[in-house]
Amino acid sequence: MKTTEKVSVLRDPLEGLLTYELRKTSAAVMGAIAFELESLDLRWSDASLMMVIGANPGCTQSDISRALRIQPTNVVPLINKLTRAGLLERVAGEGRAVSLFLTKSGAALLKQVKSAIARQEARLSRNLSQAQKAQVTDVLHLLCKNACCD
Amino acid sequence: MKTTEKVSVLRDPLEGLLTYELRKTSAAVMGAIAFELESLDLRWSDASLMMVIGANPGCTQSDISRALRIQPTNVVPLINKLTRAGLLERVAGEGRAVSLFLTKSGAALLKQVKSAIARQEARLSRNLSQAQKAQVTDVLHLLCKNACCD
DNA sequence: TATTGTTATACTCTATAACTATA
DNA sequence: TATAGTTATAGAGTATAACAATA
């Protein structure tokens, strides 16, 4: 015996670590929203950009950069993609600033984005107790703060 | 008046969304562990690999791939890096399989990795109530499951 | 000078296709 | 054939440096 005693199921020494569980859950959740947005030909970065501009018509790339904590340099290709797709309009503002607005078709697509996000959120929290639902974002905010930023 | 009425602080329409908060918190937490591991010249992917091999001496790359949910193809460069650094030993096993072990210096470094992780975990949960501490991983597991995988 | 926007670049993580070697 | 490992490659996300344009 014991000729083929393979490990195959490993002991997972990372199980239960906040760092690990957060990363794993975040990865799963991002995979799920990616699937949800696939039919709209949008990635999460696109969708979150549209959400922010939809809620703040006329905001600038700097505004977005600060709000979503992405480097200004990384906002550029996202804006370009959405502009080329006819979803975004760039209007000259003060100084070098450019004010961003959703086009008509951008606004229409945003509605679908909101539906996709609503579906995702409903699915995520479908079997959470009221207490859990109420506390989960509080805990996440605490953890975020403890991780030193925000 | 109203000449320079800039937006500057945006309304954040993503605030409170589980998808968004999870991603943001995960990013912050990964940044914090990256900082913690920086002095050891390891990234989280290296550290988690060492943790798994330390807890499962003789495991294979396929085992690791399944445990950490990384593509087998992406395990290769990680293993190579740690092997080149003298932290890992590869011993021929059955068939094509290769059994992985930490070297002496690998085991020594793993101790420091564990300390770094322990510091991180303590900092993350320092101001969580007992109830929160007890429930947070449960909620994360639920969310992970609801996201459809795991 | 400080702010805004941009280009180029590079590194990490992740994913797929195609291949070799072994049972 | 199924499993283990590998190579090459490509796409996203994120980071810095250097620069141009405007107040």
Side-chain angles (χ1 to χ4, degrees), chain B residues 23-81:
Chain B
R23 179 174 162 77
K24 193 169 71 173
T25 303
S26 171
V29 164
M30 292 313 295
I33 191 63
F35 179 78
E36 202 71 69
L37 292 170
E38 203 172 33
S39 61
L40 305 179
D41 195 29
L42 295 173
R43 294 188 301 276
W44 172 249
S45 51
D46 303 316
S48 55
L49 214 65
M50 291 182 65
M51 289 285 285
V52 169
I53 297 172
N56 301 275
C59 68
T60 69
Q61 297 183 197
S62 299
D63 293 331
I64 294 171
S65 166
R66 281 186 294 265
L68 295 181
R69 300 148 188 277
I70 16 187
Q71 303 294 326
T73 192
N74 295 327
V75 178
V76 177
L78 297 176
I79 296 287
N80 286 344
K81 176 189 170 188

Side-chain angles (χ1 to χ4, degrees), chain A residues 23 60-62 66 73 90 96-98:
Chain A
R23 179 174 163 76
T60 69
Q61 294 184 201
S62 299
R66 281 186 295 266
T73 194
R90 300 156 43 94
R96 265 207 101 187
V98 176

Side-chain angles (χ1 to χ4, degrees), chain A residues 27-77:
Chain A
V29 164
M30 291 314 294
I33 190 64
F35 179 77
E36 202 71 67
L37 293 170
E38 204 172 32
S39 60
L40 305 179
D41 195 29
L42 294 173
R43 295 188 300 277
W44 171 248
S45 52
D46 303 316
S48 55
L49 214 64
M50 292 181 65
M51 288 285 285
V52 169
I53 297 173
N56 302 275
C59 67
T60 69
Q61 294 184 201
S62 299
D63 293 331
I64 294 171
S65 166
R66 281 186 295 266
L68 294 181
R69 299 148 190 278
I70 20 186
Q71 304 293 324
T73 194
N74 295 328
V75 179
V76 177

Side-chain angles (χ1 to χ4, degrees), chain A residues 1-2 6 8 14 16 22 29 34 46 48-49 56 59 65 67 71 76 81 84 87-88 93-94 109 126 128:
Chain A
M1 287 102 235
K2 136 169 230 177
K6 305 213 290 182
S8 86
L14 302 170
L22 261 170
V29 164
D46 303 316
S48 55
L49 214 64
N56 302 275
C59 67
S65 166
Q71 304 293 324
V76 177
K81 177 189 169 188
R84 256 184 278 109
L87 301 168
L88 233 59
E94 298 182 24
L109 189 54
R126 69 171 187 251
L128 297 196

